[in-house]
Each structure stands twice: as C-alpha cells, then as structure tokens.
Amino acid sequence: MARSDIIKAGLDKAPSRSLLRATGLKDDDFEKPFIGIANSWNDIVPGHIHLNKFAEAVRAGIEEAGGIAFTFGVPAVCDGIAMGHKGMRYSLVSRETIADCCEIMVQAHSLDGWVGITNCDKITPGMLMAAGRIDIPSIMITGGPMEAGEFDEGKADLQTVFEALGQYNAGNLDAESVSRVECAACPGEGSCSGLFTANTMACLTEAMGMSLSGCGTMLATDPRKIELAKATGRRIVELVREGITARKIVKEASIRNAIRVDMAIGGSTNTTLHIPAIAREFGIEIDIDLFDEISRSIPHITNLRPGGPYHMSDLDDAGGVPAVMNRLLSLLEDAPTVNGISIKEIAAKAIVKNDEVLRPLTRPHHNEGGIAVLRGNLAPEGAVVKQSAVSESMLRFKGKAKVFDSEDEAMKAILGGEVSKGMAVVIRYEGPKGAPGMPEMLSPTSLIAGMGLAESVALITDGRFSGATRGGSIGHVCPEAYDLGPIAALRDDDIICIDIPARRLDVELSDEEIARRLRDLRPIDKAPRGLLKKYRRLVQSASKGAYLD
C-alpha cells in the first residue's frame, strides 16, 4: 500500500480525489506515486531566484519516472540582506519554520516522497531536519553557488563589499571605489561564491548522502544543473518504489563523514548549530565536542574564501565534494547515499583534478580542520572559532575587553574609532534567547578586517558570525549572557585570554569574582514580541544546536 493511498484509494476517498481532479489529475494518475517538491524560490534572495527552473526539471524527472509531482513553497531569508538590522533576528528562527512548513505539507497531503529545492543558509538545514523528522523517501537539490565577481583583474564576492566599507571607514578607499565593488561582487543567481554557510551546507548535504553526486559545488549557472535536477526527480520515484526513507540513508556515520568534510574544507562555524539539530531529527545525538575531536584528526586541505584565495568554482573544477572525499577515503566510514551506491564507492571513483586547490593530506594548509571548540571560565559550555581563517599571529591573544550589550552599540563604536589594536571586543545579549534569534554579525567583523585590525583585534560574542567571517572571531559563547553565563559578568578592561591551539577562552577573573558580579545582575530583556517571543521560550543553547524543545 502506498502512503498516498490514504488520500486516493477506495470509494470513501472520493471527496479528496474530487479535489485532486481539480488540480488536473486523471484516473490513471491515482495509481502513481505522489511526490512533493518543496521549492524555496522567491525573487528577493539571489540564491533562490533561479530555483523555479530546477523545480520544473525535477517535475519532468518525476513524470518521466512515472510519478505525479506537486510543488509547494517554502520561505527563505537572505542573510546578507538581513544583516545588520532587526531582520537578522529572523534568520536562524526561519530554520525551524522551514522544517515545519515541509512537515506540514508532506504530512497533511500524505505524499509518498519529496524533493527539497534549496540553497541558502537556513533553508538547507531546515529541509534536512524535516527529512529526518518525517522519514519518508527524500532528496535535496541545492541551487548552486554564484559565480565570483570580476573586479580590477581579480575576484570579488559579498565579503569583499563588507570589507570595502571597513577600508572606506579607515580612509583607505573612496566612496566611488566602494560603489564599484558593490556593482561587481554579486554578478547573478546563486548562493554567495565563497565557502560561506550556504555552500558549506550544500557540500555537507552531499557528504551525508542526501543529494546526488556533484550537487554541492556545481554552480547555479552550470548547464549540467538542469540535468542533475531531472535526475533527482527520477531518483526520488525510484527511492519511493524501493522503500528507502531518509533515515535509511543518514546514519551516525553519515553525520561524522559530513563533519570530516566540513573540517577538510574549512566550512562555516554555523555547521556547529545545524549539524547537531539535523542529527537530532534523525534520532542521532551528537555534541559540539565531536567537531573538535574530528578537527584534530582531519587536516584543512582546501583554502577557500573567506580565509583563502579560492572560490567555489575552483573547488568544483578540482572535482567537488567527491574529490574531497577521495582525499579523505582512508578516514571515511562507509554509509548509504541517495545515489544508490555508498559514500566510499563514490569517493573511490572520484578524481582530484587540481592538487593545489585540493591538496593531499600530506601537504595541507593547516594540520587541523577548520573549526575549533574552545572552553574556559568565559565559555564553560563551549565557544566556536573558524581557526582555518585565523592568522598565525591571532592564534594566541591577550587583550583588554571592550564590552557592548548589542551589535548596534559595537557598530557605532567601531565606526566612531573607539576600537583599536589589542582590544577584545565583546558583543553580548545576541544569543538564541538574548537577541532573540542569535543573529549573524558580518558587519562588525568585516569592518574590523577592512580597517586592517583583523590581526590585532579579537571579537567575542554569544551570537554568531557569518560564514564569510575571518580573523580572531569567536562566537557561540555558552552559556549566553541572557542565561547569566560568565560573558554577562565582563566589564571594560577585563583581560581576555585566547589560546586556540590549547582550545581555551578565559578572562583573568577568579570564579568567586565572576559569581559575585553575576549574583545581583539582571539580564537585559529586549522584550520580543510575536514569533521571537515564542522562539525565546523554546530555544535551547547554541552548544546544543539551538534547536527548539
């Protein structure tokens, strides 16, 4: 019995069949698998403006394979557009909303399987969370990276624009040059062209076996993407007929493999939020310490933006995610994939086409992986840094704290010239509960970098950073200030000590002094309303993936 028979089989289902006939279905169609297409297309997010053509190609593949396709919409937030204002409070929140939207549509209409057409930062993890939660046959197709912009005989991307503002503020760039960068950096459709969160999650989706091979790095404008979309449509019908559900694909080994690829490519720190939340929906519990454990054993072998010179197109030309896994073959665990062959079979067949873009394990850019988890008296439950994007001089740092209770306060101080070499800028009350919504903060980090301070100023927050962030930026400090974690006790001129190789984040205060300061402290309440108020009541710590419970 097909799952969809509950809405289409038997005389008593005449009412629902009557409604389905209004959509154009004929008698023969009721014998076919019903496949949903969760399409996050809209015309405000560059990573999604082209997804309708992929939806049509997926539909064509479903119909070729003998299925019936039904498309429904899913929201998508552009983090770059939402950055730096209250809209950013809704970005991480949208992850759960997206998962809920997919669950609602798939479950309410008893679909036999579904395809998630996704691309940007929260949409991909949200759809993966839904796949694990619903546990029917499902495949993701990510929309692909944007091409890098051309600027002054070099490459440019969104990070270039943000950092240009810092250069302007430092007096090293004029307004006309900023405008030229603005107009060149984002040439068209696709997710931002560096290894920021969207493209990191696309790569990890492929690594955990939930998209067809090559999908994670194939550019949005690549003609091959249409055929990949058709193949995705054909394959979902096969998965339905074979009874292969999402939880039969994603195992604990799949999650560990995704983290291994993450460490090898130097992915976004936001994966420490998304992977635990995704794993939980698949019935797998992982701790952020797993990221650090794997990071110590997996070298960083490709140096993409924001920390390096290469873009996603370079990684794709070098062989993409299969080539990365080929480098890691001896370190991978075998696991199923939606391709119908195992992850190690895919890795073994892959070819590395550029030994410099994708170096061998014996000649890495860094001996450890991209992410480090720090602990100490300032972060007893952990904090996260993208160590592959930190210069050698910032791996160990000691400086006086400059404390702000919001991103807005910090931005005004940075633009006002109040931040100087040797400072440890602290931005608190921007965590999952405190903000609420744990906004990304690319503006302050990019301003600091653009002003030439990336190698002399640290930035510490209970919020999070964009995947485009580089330098000594430490986020996800837990417990957060709203929960009266030690970060709430900090004052200007306290001495902050960072030791990334030793995995330490400390303040030169005794436990007794921290406790004394916290004893009579009342957390700042930004009095959220609506969705954000509900989110605060349900959201868990960033160290647990900021999932809702």
Side-chain angles (χ1 to χ4, degrees):
M1 176 178 173
R3 189 172 185 270
S4 59
D5 281 353
I6 200 168
I7 63 168
K8 66 183 183 182
L11 185 63
D12 61 331
K13 298 305 175 184
S16 54
R17 280 197 304 274
S18 181
L19 290 166
L20 288 165
R21 290 179 190 278
T23 71
L25 267 59
K26 308 298 182 187
D27 286 348
D28 291 348
D29 294 332
F30 293 104
E31 303 299 320
K32 300 174 182 178
F34 280 11
I35 310 295
I37 302 174
N39 181 8
S40 59
W41 172 89
N42 60 58
D43 60 7
I44 192 171
V45 182
H48 296 247
I49 58 175
H50 60 303
L51 296 187
N52 273 347
K53 64 184 180 183
F54 295 158
E56 290 306 310
V58 169
R59 175 182 291 274
I62 290 168
E63 291 173 353
E64 284 176 17
I68 295 294
F70 298 96
T71 304
F72 57 88
V74 173
V77 171
C78 178
D79 283 17
I81 296 173
M83 197 77 65
H85 59 92
K86 65 181 180 181
M88 196 66 221
R89 304 283 188 270
Y90 290 87
S91 175
L92 185 59
V93 173
S94 74
R95 185 186 72 182
E96 269 62 27
T97 301
I98 290 156
D100 291 348
C101 286
C102 294
E103 179 187 2
I104 287 167
M105 292 299 290
V106 170
Q107 298 286 57
H109 301 101
S110 297
L111 301 176
D112 297 305
W114 65 287
V115 175
I117 302 180
T118 171
N119 212 21
C120 288
D121 300 44
K122 310 309 166 304
I123 300 86
T124 301
M127 287 191 181
L128 286 168
M129 289 167 67
R133 185 188 301 173
I134 302 166
D135 192 29
I136 66 171
S138 54
I139 305 182
M140 304 297 125
I141 176 167
T142 49
M146 186 184 293
E147 295 180 18
E150 302 286 342
F151 183 73
D152 287 352
E153 300 180 357
K155 299 290 187 181
D157 53 38
L158 184 65
Q159 178 188 352
T160 316
V161 186
F162 275 95
E163 293 190 5
L165 291 175
Q167 292 174 288
Y168 172 78
N169 194 65
N172 297 324
L173 206 65
D174 59 27
E176 182 182 351
S177 296
V178 173
S179 180
R180 287 176 55 234
V181 174
E182 171 195 332
C183 293
C186 299
E189 62 208 53
S191 51
C192 298
S193 57
L195 188 65
F196 313 145
T197 306
N199 292 325
T200 300
M201 286 308 306
C203 290
L204 302 197
T205 300
E206 184 177 339
M208 70 176 68
M210 283 297 288
S211 63
L212 296 184
S213 292
C215 186
T217 59
M218 194 180 294
L219 295 189
T221 53
D222 193 321
R224 297 175 298 163
K225 201 83 174 186
I226 293 293
E227 182 48 45
L228 190 76
K230 286 182 181 177
T232 298
R234 292 191 292 267
R235 183 59 185 149
I236 188 61
V237 176
E238 292 170 359
L239 290 176
V240 168
R241 289 177 172 149
E242 294 165 12
I244 300 175
T245 68
R247 290 195 179 195
K248 290 180 180 178
I249 299 294
V250 177
K251 308 293 186 181
E252 193 167 339
S254 313
I255 298 296
R256 289 194 293 267
N257 284 339
I259 297 174
R260 290 181 178 106
V261 170
D262 190 12
M263 297 305 111
I265 63 178
S268 166
T269 52
N270 283 314
T271 60
T272 64
L273 294 171
H274 299 323
I275 294 299
I278 292 165
R280 186 172 181 270
E281 295 287 9
F282 278 90
I284 302 163
E285 295 292 333
I286 67 166
D287 189 275
I288 59 166
D289 287 330
L290 180 61
F291 287 81
D292 200 67
E293 176 189 327
I294 291 176
S295 182
R296 291 176 185 272
S297 64
I298 301 288
H300 176 222
I301 57 175
T302 184
N303 207 16
L304 306 182
R305 294 275 285 169
Y310 300 117
H311 287 85
M312 291 302 296
S313 57
D314 298 306
L315 180 57
D316 191 56
D317 290 342
V321 173
V324 174
M325 296 191 298
N326 180 269
R327 290 291 201 215
L328 300 177
L329 184 57
S330 63
L331 302 170
L332 294 177
E333 301 172 74
D334 215 4
T337 76
V338 294
N339 295 275
I341 60 174
S342 78
I343 204 75
K344 291 194 80 167
E345 289 178 278
I346 293 168
K349 293 177 181 178
I351 298 171
V352 178
K353 300 175 184 177
N354 188 317
D355 285 338
E356 188 53 39
V357 171
L358 192 51
R359 291 182 177 182
L361 299 182
T362 54
R363 190 171 58 87
H365 292 280
H366 301 94
N367 290 326
E368 293 186 340
I371 290 173
V373 176
L374 313 184
R375 293 184 187 270
N377 70 349
L378 189 49
E381 292 180 9
V384 179
V385 64
K386 188 171 185 175
Q387 63 175 344
S388 59
V390 179
S391 67
E392 188 75 23
S393 64
M394 285 295 290
L395 291 175
R396 293 181 176 87
F397 175 91
K398 179 182 283 192
K400 290 184 178 181
K402 182 75 171 174
V403 182
F404 304 97
D405 289 331
S406 70
E407 180 187 6
D408 287 346
E409 289 180 18
M411 284 293 293
K412 288 174 184 175
I414 295 167
L415 291 168
E418 297 177 34
V419 172
S420 56
K421 290 182 179 180
M423 285 185 175
V425 175
V426 176
I427 305 177
R428 62 192 179 191
Y429 293 103
E430 296 289 10
K433 296 179 185 177
M438 201 182 186
E440 282 187 350
M441 286 176 278
L442 180 56
S443 296
T445 59
S446 296
L447 278 174
I448 286 170
M451 293 165 68
L453 298 173
E455 297 189 13
S456 60
V457 169
L459 212 159
I460 299 156
T461 183
D462 54 5
R464 61 194 179 93
F465 294 117
S466 165
T469 293
R470 63 187 177 95
S473 301
I474 298 169
H476 308 201
V477 172
C478 293
E480 62 175 290
Y482 188 81
D483 283 337
L484 293 182
I487 193 172
L490 291 180
R491 297 173 182 170
D492 284 351
D493 298 329
D494 287 340
I495 302 300
I496 306 292
C497 302
I498 300 168
D499 190 335
I500 294 174
R503 303 302 200 261
R504 297 292 303 180
L505 177 62
D506 294 286
V507 56
E508 289 187 352
L509 296 173
S510 67
D511 291 345
E512 292 75 17
E513 174 61 15
I514 292 172
R516 187 189 67 78
R517 291 186 185 185
L518 292 174
R519 193 172 299 127
D520 299 320
L521 189 66
R522 293 178 64 85
I524 293 172
D525 187 350
K526 297 178 182 177
R529 295 182 295 172
L531 178 61
L532 297 181
K533 184 177 181 180
K534 179 171 67 174
Y535 184 82
R536 172 182 280 176
R537 290 176 178 171
L538 299 175
V539 72
Q540 304 301 298
S541 165
S543 65
K544 298 180 179 180
Y547 64 80
L548 302 188
D549 195 356

